[in-house]
Amino acid sequence: MFHSPLIDSVLIRLFRFRTRGFMKMEEADGAVPCPPREGGCYLYAHIPFCESLCPFCSFHRVQHCHTQATRYFTALRTEIRRYHAAGFTFDGVYFGGGTPTTEPDELVATIALVRALFGVREVSVETNPKDLQPPLLEKLRAAGVTRLSVGVQSFDDTLLREMERYEKYGGGEETAARLRAAVGLFPTLNVDLIFNQAHQTLASLERDLEIVLSLGVNQVSCYPLMTSPSVERRMAGAMGIPDGRRLRTYFQAIVRKLRPDFTASSAWCFTKNGQGSDEYIVASENYVGVGSGAFSYLDGTLYATTFSLAGYEERIARGLTGIVTKHRLGEGDSLRYTLLVRMFGLGLERAWAQRRHGRIFFWRLWGELRTLEWLGAAHRTTRGWQLTEDGMYWLMLMMSEFFESVNVYRDAMRAHVHGELEAANASVVAVAAP
Ligand SMILES: C[S@@+](CC[C@H](N)C(=O)[O-])C[C@H]1O[C@@H](n2cnc3c(N)ncnc32)[C@H](O)[C@@H]1O
Ligand code: SF4
């Protein structure tokens, strides 16, 4: 309805203002939190190791080192057992990173533990295109992985070179062939694409989508290029500066091109059978993050674990979790967080919101809900509110804004352990040098 960069920028400023309290974390004692009182719970395990570090990435990741990673996985399994002993149950587990497949045997042992302790049905694992090798795929399949998510980013070799991924993970054609061979091995095979890179043309994006359509994969997650203060300079140097004014055109091209084969399962994830999403934060009301640099959300409280790998091992050895900070969201913030996540997941059910939060939900969020309706971002149905196609675009903007605020927190936490992370990266580079 309202298609103007001015509206977008007003909306984002308003969103930033209304959610400014989300990430105000304070020190926490590290004890296992209480299991959630209501709603499902997902387990997120962060594996921060990568073969080498991409210039655009703000996730918590370090250069892979086998000895360090082995110790890390051992600590991770101890932490997972601690949540089990505290009475947690999980509907599914998501291994994200970093690159969880840098240590396949450790990963498989950890999946086996989670399945044995919690009987989870869904097991999601992130990987890179180079790791799509038959022996590894077979290991993951046998371990019970139900969703494999591959960080492709683009099939365009020029862009892959700028992203410093061409040499390490292979060119577009090679990746497409590997994906084709992996089709059918897992219930869900997801491809991650990043759109709105500075030198990405509309034609290049459309070609990426055509390739995705031709592969036979059944899910694609299209992220707008996000940034953070710590990567901005390196990213601009390697890839140029993206133009935010093209976001709507590019987003519309994605929706248009993927239809009708794929339908939206969140504002940036599209699935062939319409099932499942890329975001564990949408899959479940609560989630527990284990490992270094992971976040949890339990009954309205956000928690974050330490970004120090040595500190993580030390905390686990002392009988704690990795949690170092937390923030109990106030009533307004926790309702707004719920609205953001539910609308990002395409809609909000009135009866569910009433049951979970009571009538206060509709009173406190009256302005937000009316604004979404007035903008044409959501319309009312007999069951609640449903996101429109325009709404998907705005929720995509809001979620990337939220993730960028999480990135600012990540930057601050990583700055505390800058020396340790730099030393870890340098020592691996030194060992790898001839
Ligand atoms: C943490 S990575 C894990 C995948 C694997 N390490 C890889 O890169 O192939 C998960 C996804 O986050 C997305 N991502 C990373 N940095 C991003 C950024 N700056 N903007 C948008 N998406 C990003 C990429 O699409 C990536 O595939
Ligand atoms: S994009 Fe993937 S491979 Fe690159 S640094 Fe981030 S997590 Fe590692």
Side-chain angles (χ1 to χ4, degrees), residues 50 54 56-59 97-99 126-129 149-153 165 169 192-194 223-227 235:
C50 291
C54 306
F56 56 88
C57 181
S58 305
F59 287 88
T99 310
E126 289 180 350
T127 190
N128 63 51
S149 176
V150 188
V152 172
Q153 326 312 354
R165 292 178 66 99
Y169 299 139
D192 283 344
L193 294 179
I194 296 183
Y223 305 114
L225 182 62
M226 296 174 244
T227 186
M235 186 168 103

Side-chain angles (χ1 to χ4, degrees), residues 231-253:
V231 299
E232 224 156 28
R233 262 191 45 208
R234 188 167 167 227
M235 186 168 103
M239 300 164 60
I241 298 170
D243 179 355
R245 289 169 306 180
R246 305 180 312 187
L247 272 171
R248 184 185 283 275
T249 310
Y250 281 28
F251 185 74
Q252 285 170 338

